[in-house]
């Protein structure tokens, strides 16, 4: 944590008067600031060459009924050693306005709009005050995460229409797509402004699937909400389940037994594997290269059937539980995994050779949907998309969880930021996941699967946890309420960060390439909309 | 080219390599089979997600992979509700998707079937009661077939589609 505290010292040197208190939350340094100074401090953290923090999460908490205040928290990941740094600011005495940091930290854009919708707090100075989560037919004043808002109330319906940004000019027209798409995919709306073929502007209008997940968490007990976390984004059941469990374990002071840590990593890699292989096939399919799609589809199916045999769930649901894992893998099962993965790796290597030998495929993928490193950094992009744009971040290496201390991943970083780079990151990670699963199996310790805890955290205590899922960084903030319940649970799927970035990656490309670009990001709608 | 052919030959036939489904817990009603009769050998379906977690979508997509290859039974997946015989709806119906679902239903030509796929579509699952969820699919449009599961396995979906086509009833010729 040296680097984190060095950053704290620098900020203290520059903004002595702005800081009211310096504390720490489970080892993460936290600065309490005066309200008006947040934009200046955020700008400093974001731009100072010695700090270079990228905004990883921005969330709000309604502390009522315990205390009559709202709190805003800003989580930065510092560039050098990927340490975390927290800023916090209070809104007391019925204050509803806070200073927007979006003009200086672009990545805050959606977070602040989300806070405005869900808490009714107003980011003063935000360049885009349209609604984000609450569509226009939601009645005025309905802010679901305020404590006085009943979780099960029936919303009324009013008239209203979203104002898309217009581009004017000769021959400019709009193409609306969605919310219901032609393929079997989740609902979302894309509005293209085009002149001829090239995309001049893409606006993403999402949150059709908003199910009130964060409010539903608040109705649950800390130890019982894992099934809900696993259904935030079904394709990332292990990632979300694990991130939630880790946050609660930190709150309860539980140390997870070594065998459970290893199995968690193993399940997380199995999830990465079937999703990455499926994505490689789907990218090829969107260039009409169906041979590769068929092969990848069958390998993915093989892996999901393996998951089913191992755990009784094709999506590995129910493996994580607070304190450890709920099921063990026998030596026989693990040998079966090894044998099956060996066959899959051999087959996949063969498919790779076919892919790389195909010039027309390469032609479609290269220079398509380029997300430059600069834009990726501005949007705090990470995960597969980030690593394809030169952002060297991976929580498995940077903030090791589960068994990644003992079994670190090999990094796959590319700089071009095009569809091909995103596919190459996935190709490399497929091989690395298989290597990791083998290593985890080899080093798998014997012992207990779960640590029981009798402790009940004091209301108001909270913890952050982050997991490198197959898409990228999944972050959970869990705050304890009275009697072992959840007071607040902030869920952040990487998709929430990457959707705004895809709007930039699409610019200048032709409309028929958008499905391909979208596939190469493969973002979750459910995890974004919550 | 040689590499691709070699790969295909080495792979052989994978279709049908999946464990058999347990018999569906919710039987397909006689009325639904009757309603599906005009389509019998070629059921065209359109999938509509009204708020699922994406797991049901992944299993629907899996139906199209070479292992299940649903097309061999005459089941096609259409891009538009206007080309559709059966709507497959997944997820609880969210406040924001309610209108879109009703629109899609209106755009689907009669005779039409509605299949509620997955626990959420049938009873809202873990999202039940939320302010942002308006209720299960049948609150908004009539549902003919229910396929429970969270999510149902592709083999289970196939089994229900099989019954719907009358493949397992005495009315089958």
């Amino acid at each position: 944590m040296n680097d984190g505290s060095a950053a704290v010292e620098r900020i203290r040197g520059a903004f002595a008067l702005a800081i009211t208190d310096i504390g720490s939350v489970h080892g993460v340094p936290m600065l309490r600031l005066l309200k008006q100074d947040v934009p200046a401090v955020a700008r400093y953290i974001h731009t100072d060459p010695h700090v270079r923090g990228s905004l990883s999460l921005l969330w709000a908490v309604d502390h009522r009924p315990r205390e009559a205040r709202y709190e805003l928290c800003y989580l930065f990941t510092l560039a050098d050693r990927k340490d975390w740094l927290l800023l916090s600011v209070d809104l007391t005495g019925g204050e509803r306005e806070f200073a927007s940091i979006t003009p200086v930290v672009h990545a805050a854009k959606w977070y602040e709009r989300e806070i405005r919708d869900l808490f009714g707090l107003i980011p003063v100075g935000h360049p885009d005050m349209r609604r984000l989560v609450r569509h226009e037919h939601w009645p005025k004043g309905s802010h679901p995460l305020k404590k006085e808002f009943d979780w099960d109330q029936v919303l009324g319906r009013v008239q209203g229409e979203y104002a898309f940004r217009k581009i004017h000019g000769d021959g400019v027209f709009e193409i609306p797509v969605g919310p219901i798409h032609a393929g079997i995919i989740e609902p979302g709306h894309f509005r293209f402004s085009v002149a001829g073929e090239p995309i001049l502007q893409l606006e993403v209008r999402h949150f059709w699937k908003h199910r009130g997940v964060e409010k539903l968490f608040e109705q649950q007990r800390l130890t019982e909400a894992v099934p809900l976390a696993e259904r935030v984004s079904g394709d990332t059941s292990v990632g979300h389940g694990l991130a939630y469990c880790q946050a609660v374990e930190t709150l309860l002071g539980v140390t997870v037994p070594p065998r459970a840590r290893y199995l968690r990593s193993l399940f997380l890699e199995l999830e990465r594997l079937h999703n990455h292989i499926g994505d490689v096939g789907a990218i090829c399919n969107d260039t009409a290269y169906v041979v590769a799609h068929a092969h990848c589809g069958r390998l993915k199916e093989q892996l999901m059937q393996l998951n089913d045999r191992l755990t009784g769930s094709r999506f590995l649901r129910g493996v994580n539980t607070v304190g450890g894992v709920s099921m063990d893998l026998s030596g026989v099962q693990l040998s079966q995994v090894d044998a099956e993965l060996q066959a899959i790796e051999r087959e996949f290597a063969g498919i790779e050779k076919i892919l790389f030998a195909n010039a027309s495929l390469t032609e479609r993928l290269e220079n398509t949907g380029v997300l430059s490193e600069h834009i990726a950094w501005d949007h705090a992009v990470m995960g597969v998309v980030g690593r394809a744009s030169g952002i060297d971040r991976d929580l498995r290496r940077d903030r090791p969880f589960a068994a990644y201390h003992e079994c670190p991943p090999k990094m796959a970083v590319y700089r071009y930021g095009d569809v091909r780079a995103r596919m190459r990151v996935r190709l490399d990670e497929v091989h690395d996941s298989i290597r990791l699963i083998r290593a985890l199996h080899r080093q798998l310790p014997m012992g207990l699967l779960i640590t029981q805890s009798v402790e009940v955290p004091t209301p108001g205590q909270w913890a952050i946890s982050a997991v490198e899922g197959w898409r990228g960084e999944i972050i959970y903030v869990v705050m304890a309420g009275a009697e072992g319940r959840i007071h607040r649970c902030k869920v952040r799927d990487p998709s929430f960060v990457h959707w705004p970035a895809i709007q930039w990656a699409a610019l200048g490309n032709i409309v028929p390439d958008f499905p391909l670009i979208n596939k190469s990001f493969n973002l979750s709608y459910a995890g974004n909309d919550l | 080219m040689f590499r691709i052919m070699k790969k295909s030959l080495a792979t052989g036939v994978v279709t049908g390599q999946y464990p058999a489904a347990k018999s569906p817990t919710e039987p397909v009603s006689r009325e639904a089979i009757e309603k599906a009769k005009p389509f019998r050998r070629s059921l065209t379906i359109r999938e509509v997600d009204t708020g699922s977690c994406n797991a049901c979508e992944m299993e629907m997509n899996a139906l199209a992979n070479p292992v299940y290859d649903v097309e061999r039974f005459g089941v096609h997946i259409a891009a538009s509700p206007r080309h559709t015989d059966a709507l497959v709806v997944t997820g609880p119906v969210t406040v924001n998707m309610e209108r879109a679902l009703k629109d899609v239903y209106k755009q689907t030509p009669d005779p039409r079937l509605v299949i509620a796929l997955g626990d959420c579509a049938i009873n809202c699952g873990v999202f039940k009661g939320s302010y942002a969820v308006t209720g299960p699919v049948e609150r908004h449009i009539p549902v003919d077939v229910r396929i429970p599961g969270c999510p149902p396995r592709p083999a289970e979906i196939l089994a229900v589609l099989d019954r719907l086509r009358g493949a397992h009833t005495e009315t089958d010729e």
Side-chain angles (χ1 to χ4, degrees), chain A residues 138 144 151-152 157 180-183 207-211 231 234-235 300-301 305 308 312 314 317 347, chain B residues 7 11 17 46 49 51-54 58-59 61 68 94-96 99 104 127 129-132 150-151 153:
Chain A
W138 289 45
W151 76 280
D152 55 353
R157 205 179 175 95
I180 295 173
H181 300 280
F207 300 90
W208 301 87
K209 310 182 81 170
H210 178 70
R211 293 148 291 164
R231 283 156 185 82
D235 45 30
K300 180 189 167 90
E301 176 63 27
Q305 287 184 17
D308 201 1
R314 287 163 59 89
R317 281 178 174 171
E347 287 233 36
Chain B
K7 183 89 200 152
T11 305
Q17 290 180 5
R46 164 89 224 121
D49 172 359
S52 85
C53 71
N54 200 26
M58 280 178 80
E59 297 300 47
N61 273 320
Y68 298 100
T94 63
V95 167
N96 291 348
R99 187 149 295 179
V104 162
F127 307 110
S130 162
Y131 65 89
C150 187
R153 293 179 174 82

Side-chain angles (χ1 to χ4, degrees), chain A residues 118 133-135 137-138 144-145 149-157 159 179-187 206-213 215-216 220 227-228 230-235 274-275 289 291 293-295 297-298 300-302 304-305 308 312-315 317 346-348 350-351 353-354 357-358 471 523-524 526 530, chain B residues 1 3-12 14 16-19 22 45-68 77-81 90 92-104 119-120 125-134 139 149-155:
Chain A
L118 300 183
V133 183
R134 305 157 65 226
H135 281 192
H137 59 77
W138 289 45
L145 289 185
F149 186 97
D150 290 329
W151 76 280
D152 55 353
Q153 69 172 264
V154 177
L155 286 168
R157 205 179 175 95
Q159 286 291 323
I180 295 173
H181 300 280
I184 303 178
I185 39 171
E186 304 177 78
H206 277 342
F207 300 90
W208 301 87
K209 310 182 81 170
H210 178 70
R211 293 148 291 164
V213 169
K215 194 78 174 179
L216 283 167
Q220 303 231 13
L228 181 58
E230 288 178 332
R231 283 156 185 82
V232 167
S233 178
D235 45 30
H274 79 73
N275 277 299
Y289 193 40
V291 177
H293 182 230
H295 281 297
R298 101 187 133 78
K300 180 189 167 90
E301 176 63 27
Q302 208 178 326
M304 294 191 78
Q305 287 184 17
D308 201 1
S313 162
R314 287 163 59 89
F315 293 85
R317 281 178 174 171
R346 203 176 47 235
E347 287 233 36
F348 192 71
I351 296 165
K353 280 204 186 105
I354 294 173
N358 189 320
R471 279 196 183 92
L523 306 177
S524 167
L530 295 180
Chain B
M1 195 64 203
R3 230 184 237 139
I4 296 172
M5 286 169 70
K6 195 176 148 202
K7 183 89 200 152
S8 297
L9 287 172
T11 305
V14 296
Q17 290 180 5
Y18 53 86
K22 292 171 214 120
I45 54 184
R46 164 89 224 121
E47 206 265 0
V48 179
D49 172 359
T50 56
S52 85
C53 71
N54 200 26
C56 287
E57 278 62 51
M58 280 178 80
E59 297 300 47
M60 278 298 292
N61 273 320
L63 284 182
N65 74 26
V67 177
Y68 298 100
I77 295 170
S80 160
T90 61
V93 183
T94 63
V95 167
N96 291 348
M97 277 304 284
E98 181 188 339
R99 187 149 295 179
L101 173 66
K102 287 176 177 164
D103 275 352
V104 162
D119 289 347
C120 290
V126 292
F127 307 110
K128 195 173 181 169
S130 162
Y131 65 89
V133 167
T134 59
R139 217 198 121 204
C150 187
R153 293 179 174 82

Side-chain angles (χ1 to χ4, degrees), chain A residues 444-464:
Chain A
L444 185 68
M446 298 304 284
L448 294 172
L449 293 177
I450 187 164
T451 311
Q452 299 290 354
S453 163
V454 284
E455 226 175 294
V456 179
T458 35
Q461 267 194 318
W462 57 280
I464 315 178

Side-chain angles (χ1 to χ4, degrees), chain A residues 256-290:
Chain A
V256 177
R259 189 175 176 86
R261 287 196 291 109
Y262 274 75
L263 288 173
R264 283 177 166 186
S265 281
L266 199 146
F267 289 130
L268 193 65
E269 293 308 318
L270 279 174
E271 180 171 85
R272 190 181 322 277
L273 208 49
H274 79 73
N275 277 299
H276 276 3
I277 291 181
D279 280 354
V280 170
I283 290 171
C284 294
N285 191 43
D286 276 358
T287 69
Y289 193 40
V290 288

Side-chain angles (χ1 to χ4, degrees), chain A residues 42-119:
Chain A
R43 185 200 173 100
Y44 178 81
I45 294 173
H46 190 62
T47 52
D48 184 85
H50 299 284
V51 185
R52 293 270 291 163
S54 92
L55 185 74
S56 282
L57 185 63
L58 167 47
W59 76 100
V61 185
D62 182 351
H63 282 283
R64 291 173 298 170
R66 230 165 36 83
E67 293 167 62
R69 68 179 169 108
Y70 290 101
E71 186 181 9
L72 296 168
C73 293
Y74 305 74
L75 176 71
F76 286 90
T77 301
L78 307 183
D80 266 0
R81 288 194 8 202
K82 314 293 188 279
D83 283 327
W84 278 350
L85 176 66
L86 275 162
L87 304 182
S88 141
V89 64
D90 279 340
L91 299 183
T92 49
E95 264 183 313
R96 287 180 57 223
E97 295 186 344
F98 65 100
S100 166
I101 64 164
T102 301
V104 288
V105 181
H106 203 80
K109 193 170 172 179
W110 273 28
Y111 291 116
E112 290 184 338
R113 286 173 71 187
E114 183 191 39
I115 288 170
R116 179 170 184 250
D117 276 1
L118 300 183
F119 288 89

Side-chain angles (χ1 to χ4, degrees), chain A residues 263 266-271 273 302-319 326-338 340-341 437, chain B residues 153:
Chain A
L263 288 173
L266 199 146
F267 289 130
L268 193 65
E269 293 308 318
L270 279 174
E271 180 171 85
L273 208 49
Q302 208 178 326
L303 282 161
M304 294 191 78
Q305 287 184 17
L306 175 70
N307 292 346
D308 201 1
R309 286 201 301 279
L310 294 177
T311 66
S313 162
R314 287 163 59 89
F315 293 85
L316 299 166
R317 281 178 174 171
V319 296
S326 61
M327 53 190 88
D328 201 1
L329 295 181
S330 67
V332 177
Q333 281 177 316
L334 286 163
S335 310
Q336 282 170 357
V337 172
D338 271 359
E340 195 129 350
L341 290 189
I437 292 171
Chain B
R153 293 179 174 82

